[in-house]
Amino acid sequence: MPDQPINTLIVEDDAAFAAALRGYVESVPGFVVSGVARSDRQALSPAPRGRLDLILLDFFLSDMSGLDVCRALRARGSTLDIIAVSRVRDPAMVQAAMSYGVLQYVVKPFTATVFQHCLERYSAFRRQITAGPAGPVGQRDVDPVLSRLQPDGSGMTLPKRLSAATLDAVVDHLRGAVRPLSAYEVAGGLGLSRVTARRYLEWLAEQRLVTRSMNYGHTGRPRHLYLWRMP
């Protein structure tokens, strides 16, 4: 008997990022996007809950927090699986999310590959649960199931020459820009060398997190310009 599709609701108030998530989900076999909610009211609507398996939940909605959505769902007795998507790296937030049964916590920014691997691990987790014994389980049954949710090292790993702290600074600088920036401008804004700034910008471009274009308006060689493409 073929596996049942995993019906997924995307809860994200930014249209561009919601579209990106839809693309990520639809690229993974076995997943179906059942809808996109742009507000807490839509996320908590009773209409879609009967045909959902998974919620991809942005933790910073414009009208309420993701934790509030989790709290409301659990208060209603919902057992839907939840994967949190958030820029917050505070351990307290992660702990609070897990206390409401959030299975995975994905930190923005991330690449398509990272998120696809996350969904693949979740799918393997569901298959393992379904195929498990019908009666009482022992530790040997539980451990393999939970291990399915753990990263396998195939996600986004920074090259040795890049640091997470500097990458975060570059990303934040690009997010705050209202126009495309050159490596020279990013370097000047962050106190980096131009070569270092370009290294991070090029890596972000390779991961398709920034859009790279050419500026031919200056004398000499044309300059690369970089624009953050994700919310």
Side-chain angles (χ1 to χ4, degrees):
M1 180 178 178
D3 293 337
Q4 293 297 314
I6 299 173
N7 297 301
T8 306
L9 174 68
I10 297 171
V11 182
E12 169 62 59
D13 60 3
D14 186 287
F17 195 70
L21 284 179
R22 176 185 282 275
Y24 297 166
V25 173
E26 292 177 341
S27 69
V28 180
F31 286 83
V32 174
V33 176
S34 297
V36 177
R38 300 288 301 279
S39 69
D40 67 310
R41 180 176 300 179
Q42 293 177 355
L44 297 172
S45 169
R49 291 209 303 267
R51 58 180 184 271
L52 289 180
D53 303 298
L54 173 66
I55 295 180
L56 303 180
L57 179 60
D58 178 17
F59 260 41
F60 272 92
L61 299 170
S62 59
D63 45 4
M64 71 188 299
S65 75
L67 281 178
D68 290 333
V69 173
C70 290
R71 186 180 298 113
L73 286 171
R74 298 316 185 207
R76 295 180 180 185
S78 173
T79 59
L80 285 172
D81 291 334
I82 300 173
I83 294 178
V85 181
S86 177
R87 288 197 69 207
V88 178
R89 305 186 182 203
D90 182 4
M93 174 67 80
V94 178
Q95 183 179 17
M98 297 304 174
S99 73
Y100 286 108
V102 171
L103 292 177
Q104 292 173 296
Y105 191 100
V106 187
V107 180
K108 297 178 181 179
F110 48 79
T111 65
T113 300
V114 166
F115 203 74
Q116 287 160 356
H117 285 315
C118 171
L119 294 180
E120 288 167 357
R121 292 195 300 272
Y122 168 74
S123 179
F125 166 78
R126 281 181 60 92
R127 287 196 301 270
Q128 190 86 17
I129 286 284
T130 304
V137 298
Q139 198 66 48
R140 289 189 302 175
D141 302 306
V142 174
D143 289 343
V145 173
L146 296 180
S147 69
R148 294 293 188 178
L149 293 172
Q150 301 305 312
D152 57 7
S154 57
M156 179 173 63
T157 301
L158 291 178
K160 292 182 179 180
R161 59 183 180 170
L162 304 184
S163 77
T166 303
L167 179 63
D168 285 347
V170 172
V171 168
D172 286 341
H173 194 71
L174 289 174
R175 281 180 179 274
V178 296
R179 59 176 177 80
L181 300 178
S182 67
Y184 179 82
E185 290 171 311
V186 173
L190 296 176
L192 303 172
S193 72
R194 186 183 61 82
V195 172
T196 298
R198 182 174 179 127
R199 184 183 302 145
Y200 284 87
L201 292 167
E202 285 295 310
W203 186 84
L204 288 169
E206 291 170 4
Q207 304 304 314
R208 299 184 180 179
L209 293 172
V210 302
T211 300
R212 180 175 50 198
S213 60
M214 298 290 289
N215 182 353
Y216 297 94
H218 293 74
T219 58
R221 297 179 60 184
R223 295 187 305 169
H224 283 102
L225 298 179
Y226 304 86
L227 178 66
W228 185 251
R229 63 181 295 181
M230 303 294 283

